[in-house]
Amino acid sequence: MYILEVIPLTAIPRNQDQILSYFYEEKLPAGALVEVEIRKRKITAVVLASKSLAELKIKLKKEADFELKPIGKILKEQPVLNQHQLNIALWLSVKYFAPLGLCVKAMLPAFLLKRSGEYASSAVRRRQVRRKEEAYSPDLSNQGQKLILTPEKIMAEHFLEKYKKENPVFLSSSTPTKEYFDIWQRVKNGEIKTIVGTRVALFLPFNNLKEIIVEAESNIAYRSDYTPKYDTGILARRTAKEYGAKLIINDSLPKVETYFEFGEETLPQKTKVDISFANMVGEIKNTNFSIFSAELKEQLKSAVQQKNKIIIFVPRKGYAPYLLCQNCGYIPRCPNCDRNLTAFKLTTYNLKPKTILKCHHCQNIQPTLNVCPNCNKSVLEYKGLGIEKAEEKLVKFFKDQNITSPKILALSSDTPQKEEEKIIDQFKNPGPAILLTTQKILSYQRLLKADLVGILNLESLLNFVDFGTEEEALRIVFILSQMTEKTLIQGYDSDARVVKTILSQDFKSFYEEELEARKEFSYPPFAELIKLIFRHQDSRTAEREAEIVRERLNHELGIKNYGKEIEIIGPNAGLKEKGLHTQEIVLKVVKNPIVEPSAHYGARRNELLRLVPSGWQIEVV
């Protein structure tokens, strides 16, 4: 008889035991798939360890205050996860304070939770085909496995071409099930040597992983949007350590944390670049009230004559970021999440434009307003610049200049995929073209080149209350400058740190100043930020709950004398979410990043987090 320690693949609150014990007549390997009963529910679980009952009998008699249950059913006796994968899941649960069952479940593709043999014939056929092809493939039998991570499928095209001599495969969450199963099996047996993939590829059962390359580490797509909400760059570091693999971090401009970790070698080399700044304050003084500077206007004219390609970057989607009452200052907000509603212009079936107000966060749509509901005045005006307004102004510019307009294309994250592909192809075709775009263009940083990139309204990238805002704005501008021979930035502050840095290319000074500021105010990499989020339909209930949790945490800090290590900020009211009122508490966990964190670091932090009730959301930033 054996005692099995199992991880149920369900969300058990983190202040409860994550590993449960059952008994079975035979020893099962770590990674086997079983069925257990929890509160009369049948739950799939993964075996973590099997221990002989004879070895544990004395200990159980002394300590057990519960009755062990038997395993209900053996679903898969052969391990579905290897020991490395189980170790990574355990680490994920501790690092991000996430339910262990969900961490394990995140690693398991859906097909592994199905009945055995469902995809076996497909895998066998594929392996037979591979054997026939072996004569035509390079001999990679003595090489270890290499994983190249990309944030999204579009970027993967470049690396599949780059490593084509190594016969790479591509894996993402949208890979068809049978193909996914085939890749999983061939990686497991060591047949596949080079994998290009999105973040899900980190969970593959590697046979001999020797190298991990993280491309574009700072891309927001690397942040998981489901539990566990992990950062792919951090997970890649842990995975490399687990397998003893070499780690390479590549980025246009590194994250501040990465610069701190690896130093100047992460920074780009200084090169001669043609980057200029057009101060729009001076343009207004010279009676140019257009959204285009005088220099950009000349470039637009010459694009037609010289058949140039121009990319115009507009930081905001839609027509205008918000609608403003000129009389009382009223701004329409989303009734569900309290964010400013963005104005969009739609073309109706009779080709007449129709303006709507849309929430970017929850996609709620409201009709536009002609009369202010606050003061009943008809003095509403669309404020700010969105990509649709920029397109409207561009068409008008060519019409006013009596110039035949080149192809004008618009690309944003709202563009359907098929239309997106068509737009990219049209821009690549011979002849002059102007591509208006938002941050979506960053996906094509290695695939598109232009004669000129114009950046409108730089300040729109800087108007965020976040310690990483300047870093991200600088990175966007730098990536855009790498896609062209000439870059023209338009803004209202020539003394902005981002402007000075991009013009001087003195990235080291920027990063050193950023580190100094973050150290002073205890931001990453000198501290870990943890957001505690509570939502309720009643604002007073949310406030009351947040105050109770804060007092509980403060009390614990005092008792354990953790005050010098952990700072509590808040609670503060956050934006509404799906009609629910939000309260947020932020924990700043101060750490010394120069040395490896001591063993009690994670234990103390998680000991405190165990006091947070299960109705709260915990996010490790």
Side-chain angles (χ1 to χ4, degrees):
M1 194 68 68
Y2 289 86
I3 303 298
L4 305 185
E5 293 182 347
V6 305
I7 305 169
L9 303 185
T10 189
I12 298 176
R14 275 300 268 114
N15 50 14
Q16 297 178 22
D17 291 335
Q18 303 292 296
I19 300 170
L20 305 181
S21 297
Y22 292 80
F23 69 85
Y24 188 63
E25 58 191 19
E26 296 178 12
K27 184 176 182 178
L28 293 178
L33 205 62
V34 299
E35 185 180 89
V36 299
E37 184 178 298
I38 301 177
R39 294 178 182 176
K40 298 183 179 180
R41 290 174 57 217
K42 293 181 179 180
I43 303 292
T44 301
V46 171
V47 175
L48 185 62
S50 297
K51 298 178 182 178
S52 170
L53 183 60
E55 296 174 16
L56 298 172
K57 189 172 287 186
I58 297 175
K59 185 177 180 182
L60 284 171
K61 284 182 178 179
K62 288 182 178 180
E63 298 181 6
D65 57 354
F66 57 88
E67 184 180 347
L68 282 176
K69 294 181 180 180
I71 291 293
K73 188 188 297 183
I74 307 301
L75 301 178
K76 290 186 179 178
E77 190 169 349
Q78 291 300 313
V80 293
L81 296 174
N82 63 35
Q83 191 60 54
H84 292 302
Q85 292 170 298
L86 290 171
N87 291 344
I88 291 168
L90 289 164
W91 174 85
L92 273 172
S93 180
V94 173
K95 170 66 178 175
Y96 294 99
F97 202 73
L100 179 56
L102 296 187
C103 294
V104 174
K105 195 172 183 178
M107 308 186 82
L108 283 168
F111 57 76
L112 285 178
L113 300 176
K114 295 179 182 289
R115 297 284 178 180
S116 300
E118 189 167 338
Y119 297 106
S121 59
S122 167
V124 170
R125 286 197 301 271
R126 177 62 175 159
R127 286 197 292 273
Q128 289 171 344
V129 171
R130 291 292 297 178
R131 282 197 289 271
K132 290 178 183 178
E133 294 174 350
E134 280 173 5
Y136 304 99
S137 302
D139 182 12
L140 301 173
S141 58
N142 294 324
Q143 295 181 15
Q145 292 171 313
K146 178 192 296 181
L147 172 62
I148 301 100
L149 288 171
T150 67
E152 50 191 338
K153 188 176 181 179
I154 296 170
M155 287 191 187
E157 296 174 16
H158 170 81
F159 297 101
L160 288 169
E161 177 65 24
K162 180 178 178 180
Y163 294 98
K164 65 180 180 181
K165 290 184 179 179
E166 300 178 24
N167 294 326
V169 297
F170 174 70
L171 181 72
S172 74
S173 57
S174 60
T175 299
T177 301
K178 289 188 177 182
E179 184 181 345
Y180 201 142
F181 175 81
D182 184 51
I183 291 171
W184 182 279
Q185 292 299 111
R186 289 163 59 211
V187 167
K188 184 178 180 179
N189 63 34
E191 184 182 348
I192 292 177
K193 302 298 182 184
T194 304
I195 305 101
V196 176
T198 58
R199 63 175 189 257
V200 71
L202 276 169
F203 297 140
L204 285 167
F206 297 103
N207 178 284
N208 185 25
L209 184 61
K210 293 297 184 184
E211 186 175 2
I212 299 176
I213 302 173
V214 183
E215 297 289 346
E217 184 198 17
S218 57
N219 193 296
I220 194 171
Y222 274 140
R223 183 75 184 182
S224 169
D225 49 8
Y226 57 81
T227 303
K229 294 190 175 182
Y230 60 87
D231 180 285
T232 300
I234 296 174
L235 177 57
R237 287 164 170 79
R238 181 62 183 83
T239 304
K241 183 178 180 180
E242 177 66 32
Y243 285 93
K246 178 182 178 181
L247 177 69
I248 298 173
I249 305 288
N250 290 329
D251 213 339
S252 50
L253 280 180
K255 296 170 71 172
V256 169
E257 295 89 333
T258 302
Y259 171 79
F260 181 77
E261 183 180 2
F262 295 106
E264 291 183 48
E265 65 185 66
T266 60
L267 298 178
Q269 297 294 321
K270 279 191 177 182
T271 56
K272 288 185 178 181
V273 291
D274 188 354
I275 303 176
S276 57
F277 179 77
N279 194 321
M280 299 306 287
V281 174
E283 295 287 328
I284 293 171
K285 288 180 179 178
N286 292 328
T287 67
N288 177 19
F289 302 103
S290 168
I291 64 169
F292 308 118
S293 64
E295 185 179 352
L296 184 52
K297 287 179 179 179
E298 290 302 315
Q299 293 290 340
L300 291 171
K301 291 177 188 177
S302 67
V304 179
Q305 299 168 353
Q306 300 176 21
K307 297 184 178 181
N308 287 345
K309 305 284 189 186
I310 295 180
I311 293 174
I312 297 180
F313 177 78
V314 187
R316 295 284 183 269
K317 294 192 294 184
Y319 184 79
Y322 60 99
L323 182 62
L324 175 69
C325 176
Q326 302 286 74
N327 182 59
C328 69
Y330 171 80
I331 297 174
R333 293 180 176 273
C334 175
N336 293 333
C337 54
D338 209 31
R339 290 164 171 83
N340 288 354
L341 291 170
T342 300
F344 282 80
K345 282 201 171 182
L346 307 177
T347 302
T348 58
Y349 68 94
N350 57 4
L351 300 181
K352 288 185 177 180
K354 174 187 176 183
T355 305
I356 61 167
L357 300 175
K358 182 179 178 181
C359 175
H360 283 317
H361 185 71
C362 70
Q363 310 306 312
N364 179 269
I365 295 175
Q366 300 285 325
T368 193
L369 302 173
N370 297 316
V371 177
C372 175
N374 191 51
C375 67
N376 294 320
K377 301 287 184 180
S378 300
V379 285
L380 293 161
E381 185 175 335
Y382 297 108
K383 290 290 186 178
L385 178 67
I387 188 172
E388 293 175 3
K389 185 188 284 188
E391 183 177 7
E392 180 181 279
K393 298 288 186 182
L394 186 60
V395 171
K396 185 177 185 301
F397 167 76
F398 283 112
K399 185 177 180 180
D400 291 346
Q401 296 293 319
N402 199 24
I403 298 174
T404 302
S405 172
K407 281 185 296 187
I408 297 177
L409 308 165
L411 175 69
S412 74
S413 57
D414 290 332
T415 306
Q417 186 176 352
K418 288 186 178 179
E419 188 178 337
E420 180 180 323
E421 293 171 359
K422 189 186 298 183
I423 287 169
I424 296 301
D425 289 340
Q426 284 181 296
F427 186 73
K428 287 180 177 179
N429 289 339
I434 299 174
L435 176 62
L436 288 144
T437 182
T438 60
Q439 281 86 339
K440 182 64 181 178
I441 193 65
L442 304 180
S443 301
Y444 294 92
Q445 58 183 279
R446 297 178 183 272
L447 303 173
L448 285 184
K449 290 292 179 184
D451 299 292
L452 171 75
V453 168
I455 300 172
L456 305 188
N457 200 10
L458 176 66
E459 281 71 23
S460 289
L461 292 174
L462 298 169
N463 293 336
F464 296 97
V465 184
D466 187 276
F467 66 90
T469 294
E470 285 189 306
E471 174 198 336
E472 182 60 22
L474 178 62
R475 184 177 296 111
I476 290 172
V477 174
F478 180 75
I479 291 173
L480 291 168
S481 73
Q482 298 298 296
M483 298 175 68
T484 182
E485 298 175 0
K486 180 178 175 60
T487 307
L488 175 59
I489 305 167
Q490 293 186 179
Y492 293 88
D493 183 8
S494 57
D495 291 326
R497 197 156 65 112
V498 169
V499 174
K500 287 184 172 181
T501 301
I502 200 69
L503 292 179
S504 67
Q505 299 282 291
D506 184 7
F507 300 111
K508 182 182 178 183
S509 294
F510 176 89
Y511 279 87
E512 290 297 329
E513 289 172 11
E514 192 70 17
L515 281 173
E516 189 176 332
R518 292 192 184 192
K519 185 175 183 180
E520 181 180 353
F521 294 104
S522 295
Y523 283 117
F526 302 99
E528 184 179 52
L529 302 182
I530 302 172
K531 288 176 68 174
L532 312 179
I533 304 166
F534 181 76
R535 295 187 176 97
H536 198 275
Q537 60 189 10
D538 180 64
S539 62
R540 291 184 179 179
T541 301
E543 290 172 7
R544 191 162 51 248
E545 171 70 14
E547 288 294 340
I548 291 171
V549 170
R550 185 194 64 178
E551 288 302 319
R552 184 183 298 174
L553 295 175
N554 270 329
H555 180 70
E556 186 70 11
L557 286 182
I559 292 176
K560 298 293 177 66
N561 197 26
Y562 293 166
K564 292 182 179 180
E565 298 177 31
I566 302 174
E567 178 187 356
I568 299 175
I569 302 171
N572 295 304
L575 293 170
K576 289 170 69 177
E577 182 79 24
K578 296 179 180 179
L580 301 177
H581 296 271
T582 302
Q583 286 288 321
E584 296 180 354
I585 296 173
V586 175
L587 303 183
K588 272 189 182 179
V589 186
V590 180
K591 59 182 179 180
N592 180 1
I594 298 174
V595 296
E596 185 73 18
S598 56
H600 70 262
Y601 164 74
R604 286 188 176 185
R605 179 257 253 172
N606 287 359
E607 186 180 343
L608 190 66
L609 291 177
R610 285 173 69 91
L611 298 175
V612 179
S614 58
W616 284 69
Q617 183 180 337
I618 298 175
E619 292 184 10
V620 179
V621 179

